[in-house]
Amino acid sequence: MIEPTVTMPPERVRRPPARRPEPPRETVRFPVLAVVFVCAACGLVYELELVALASYLIGDSVTQASVVLSVMVFAMGVGSLLAKRLRCRAAVGFGLVEAGLALIGGCSAMVLYAAFAWLGESRYVLVAFSLAIGVLIGAEIPLLMSLIQRGERSGRAGRKASLGEEDDAAGTVADLFAADYVGALVGGLAFPFLLLPWLGQLTGALVTGAVNAVAGGGLVLWVFRRDLTARSRALLVAVNVSVLAVLATATVLVDDFEQAARRAVYGERVRVAVQTDLQEVVLTGDRQEPPDLFLDGRLRVSGQDEYRYHEALVHPAMNGARARVLIVGGGDGMAAREALRYRGVRSVTVVELDPGVVRLARTDPALASLNGQAFRDPRVRVVYADAFRWLRGAVDRLQERYDVVISDLPDPGITPSTKLYSEEFYGLVAQVLTPTGRFAVHAGSVTDRPRTYWTVDSTLRAAGFATRPYSAAGRAPGFAAGPDRADRAGGTGGGPDDWGFLLAVRGARPPALGLAADAPRLRSLAAGTLEAAARRAERGRGAEPPPSTLVHPRYGG
């Protein structure tokens, strides 16, 4: 019997779907390196924003820079460790990290300024932002390393790697760090030369955050879109759009915010607010009263009380030859006003670093009236320069010799002023003084910061001067002569109740402390007043502190 043959239908074999060709190696690596470059630039801008704003709001730029940098570097290490948990989802993790960094870094300046303006304290906020930004920056490189290596491995999958395509972790790390360092260079240069002068601190940070969000989100949603699920893609789009919306809204409202914060800091009587290339200059007061001048939030001229300070600073130094007068600082014109009251003065040279201060002192009616229109006097010459550098040039020119030098500078505890209270600077002053010349120095408060005051005295004597200490009492409440920003307008605590000065001459014999026989009529000084001021200052003398030099500044509390 013949068995029938059964023919089975051919079995259908399912073929795997054709894989989309992976992007070549360069298609992955170059966009990643470009984003590393942009993100590194943004990260350094955040860092510099924190340092600059903290120095302005809190004071002592060396301390604030040290706090920000050390905390941020520590946090970057923590962020690198935490990023290990996100390596399995590196694409979505990097996208969220960059969105968070853009939001926190972009808003950091506004929040820091708001904390200072309305809470009066921004130190803890500074540390919190340094930690958060550092953690997020630290997570960037490990996640990008995972992404770029994954892209290269997938690009080689299914084909034999050529000789130059073997895994090269060292080369990848080198490329990433090279792009990171170059980006940091660009960000570091862009901050002082582009962002700060063109946009200011608040808007500059917000714009940087927007650039950061676009770069980070664009990389993940474009180059690494295959690594994202539909849910992850929707999440990243929503987060980045939200971050950009917040930053755009803050940018639109930044002017109103700044005005409100300025009123919280200075009160309701802000008349003029100017951000120069170097500092914030604010003029407050009613039209019917003398104005107050603030430089970077510190009250430098109190309209009701400034005559006590400037009379005590200038007039003891004018007791003698006075044909040529040099004023270091004094861009408000008050010291020049007092010097010009003497008939024997033939020239007054004012060396001021910030042209914006002099411009305001010339053009604002209230401030120009307070300084007696000093800058319109033909005997006054203004030099816009760093006083240290300018004095070195004056020494070389030999013909620059002065009968009186007046140092009308901020407290030496403020870091930018420290070099102008150094032994080297006083040595330059000694070389431009005539043999009988006199040198008057504002040295901070005798009673509130005695170590700072006597360090100035010790530094002057180390530079070859003999000194006569004295002080002036009667400071208006809130006059912040020192580096502490707590003594600001509207603050609850009053500032120190005196100004400390030193009158110095070359040689070993201290100068006589008195007024010239032809001195103009003064409101706060008399011979008896100066003698009492000298005795009051001498009572605070203790053990002699070491002098301050450029390489070893010694000013403290």
Side-chain angles (χ1 to χ4, degrees):
M1 181 177 179
I2 301 174
E3 295 183 359
T5 302
V6 180
T7 304
M8 300 296 294
E11 183 178 357
R12 296 183 63 184
V13 180
R14 291 189 176 183
R15 296 181 179 179
R19 292 176 56 91
R20 294 181 181 179
E22 294 290 342
R25 183 172 184 257
E26 292 76 8
T27 306
V28 174
R29 175 166 293 209
F30 289 159
V32 169
L33 295 180
V35 170
V36 170
F37 173 86
V38 173
C39 292
C42 294
L44 198 65
V45 169
Y46 301 144
E47 187 175 318
L48 295 175
E49 285 280 0
L50 290 178
V51 171
L53 198 57
S55 301
Y56 160 52
L57 298 178
I58 303 172
D60 191 355
S61 59
V62 172
T63 300
Q64 306 316 320
S66 300
V67 169
V68 170
L69 295 177
S70 57
V71 170
M72 193 169 285
V73 170
F74 163 76
M76 288 169 65
V78 174
S80 297
L81 293 176
L82 295 177
K84 294 167 64 176
R85 299 177 177 271
L86 298 174
R87 285 184 301 175
C88 57
R89 304 186 66 186
V92 67
F94 179 76
L96 293 176
V97 163
E98 289 307 305
L101 183 58
L103 180 64
I104 294 173
C107 296
S108 59
M110 288 187 73
V111 176
L112 196 62
Y113 195 17
F116 172 77
W118 282 284
L119 302 179
E121 178 58 65
S122 52
R123 290 178 175 86
Y124 301 113
V125 179
L126 173 68
V127 173
F129 273 109
S130 300
L131 277 170
I133 293 174
V135 167
L136 294 173
I137 291 176
E140 288 177 329
I141 294 297
L143 293 176
L144 283 170
M145 183 73 180
S146 297
L147 286 173
I148 199 170
Q149 288 186 323
R150 184 177 303 172
E152 292 179 1
R153 284 197 299 268
S154 62
R156 292 192 297 267
R159 74 176 191 272
K160 185 177 180 181
S162 64
L163 184 62
E165 287 187 331
E166 67 275 5
D167 289 336
D168 185 8
T172 301
V173 171
D175 289 342
L176 286 174
F177 278 103
D180 187 72
Y181 295 149
V182 175
L185 171 66
V186 173
L189 295 177
F191 175 72
F193 296 114
L194 296 177
L195 293 177
L196 197 57
W198 287 5
L199 300 177
Q201 290 180 324
L202 304 186
T203 306
L206 293 169
V207 170
T208 302
V211 172
N212 199 160
V214 170
L219 176 72
V220 175
L221 293 170
W222 172 43
V223 178
F224 297 104
R225 58 188 179 275
R226 295 181 181 84
D227 293 347
L228 300 174
T229 63
R231 188 174 181 179
S232 298
R233 189 179 301 111
L235 174 64
L236 285 178
V237 170
V239 168
N240 278 277
V241 169
S242 300
V243 168
L244 290 173
V246 170
L247 295 175
T249 304
T251 303
V252 171
L253 299 176
V254 71
D255 289 338
D256 294 336
F257 167 82
E258 194 169 355
Q259 291 176 11
R262 189 177 290 122
R263 286 195 297 270
V265 174
Y266 299 106
E268 296 294 333
R269 302 182 304 160
V270 176
R271 295 181 52 237
V272 179
V274 179
Q275 181 66 53
T276 71
D277 292 339
L278 301 173
Q279 60 194 336
E280 183 185 54
V281 182
V282 175
L283 208 59
T284 67
D286 297 329
R287 299 289 177 179
Q288 295 78 24
E289 64 183 19
D292 295 337
L293 176 67
F294 293 82
L295 302 181
D296 267 353
R298 298 177 181 88
L299 182 58
R300 286 290 294 140
V301 174
S302 171
Q304 299 288 350
D305 205 46
E306 58 80 20
Y307 68 91
R308 298 180 184 274
Y309 168 87
H310 290 103
E311 287 184 357
L313 172 65
V314 174
H315 291 278
M318 305 298 284
N319 184 15
R322 51 180 181 253
R324 292 169 55 84
V325 178
L326 171 65
I327 300 175
V328 179
D332 50 64
M334 310 300 170
R337 175 199 65 196
E338 295 301 322
L340 291 169
R341 296 174 69 182
Y342 290 86
R343 287 177 295 178
V345 173
R346 295 202 304 268
S347 69
V348 175
T349 302
V350 179
V351 182
E352 168 62 46
L353 183 61
D354 191 351
V357 176
V358 177
R359 188 180 307 114
L360 189 63
R362 288 182 191 270
T363 58
D364 182 81
L367 193 57
S369 175
L370 191 62
N371 65 35
Q373 306 288 346
F375 291 116
R376 294 187 179 182
D377 193 299
R379 293 173 291 175
V380 175
R381 176 173 70 107
V382 181
V383 178
Y384 301 117
D386 176 84
F388 198 105
R389 184 180 303 173
W390 185 84
L391 267 182
R392 292 183 68 178
V395 170
D396 295 337
R397 290 191 293 270
L398 295 180
Q399 71 269 21
E400 301 282 359
R401 292 293 180 269
Y402 297 92
D403 302 299
V404 177
V405 177
I406 296 168
S407 177
D408 184 14
L409 296 167
D411 188 280
I414 301 172
T415 306
S417 301
T418 301
K419 73 175 183 179
L420 303 182
Y421 286 87
S422 65
E423 183 179 341
E424 292 86 348
F425 180 74
Y426 293 150
L428 293 174
V429 172
Q431 295 182 61
V432 300
L433 272 176
T434 61
T436 60
R438 300 161 76 84
F439 182 26
V441 180
H442 165 235
S445 172
V446 181
T447 57
D448 191 64
R449 297 180 180 87
R451 179 169 180 80
T452 295
Y453 178 85
W454 293 111
T455 299
V456 178
D457 177 75
S458 173
T459 305
L460 278 166
R461 288 187 282 111
F465 287 97
T467 62
R468 180 75 70 183
Y470 66 103
S471 66
R475 175 168 308 199
F479 192 111
D484 191 355
R485 281 294 305 267
D487 296 329
R488 58 189 173 94
T492 56
D497 60 0
D498 73 300
W499 296 283
F501 305 97
L502 291 157
L503 184 63
V505 295
R506 295 164 61 184
R509 185 176 180 179
L513 189 62
L515 299 175
D518 61 341
R521 184 176 179 181
L522 306 178
R523 289 188 283 174
S524 62
L525 279 188
T529 305
L530 281 174
E531 292 173 2
R535 290 194 298 268
R536 185 168 56 247
E538 285 288 355
R539 283 198 296 268
R541 187 188 291 271
E544 180 178 343
S548 181
T549 65
L550 289 177
V551 296
H552 197 163
R554 297 181 182 273
Y555 293 107

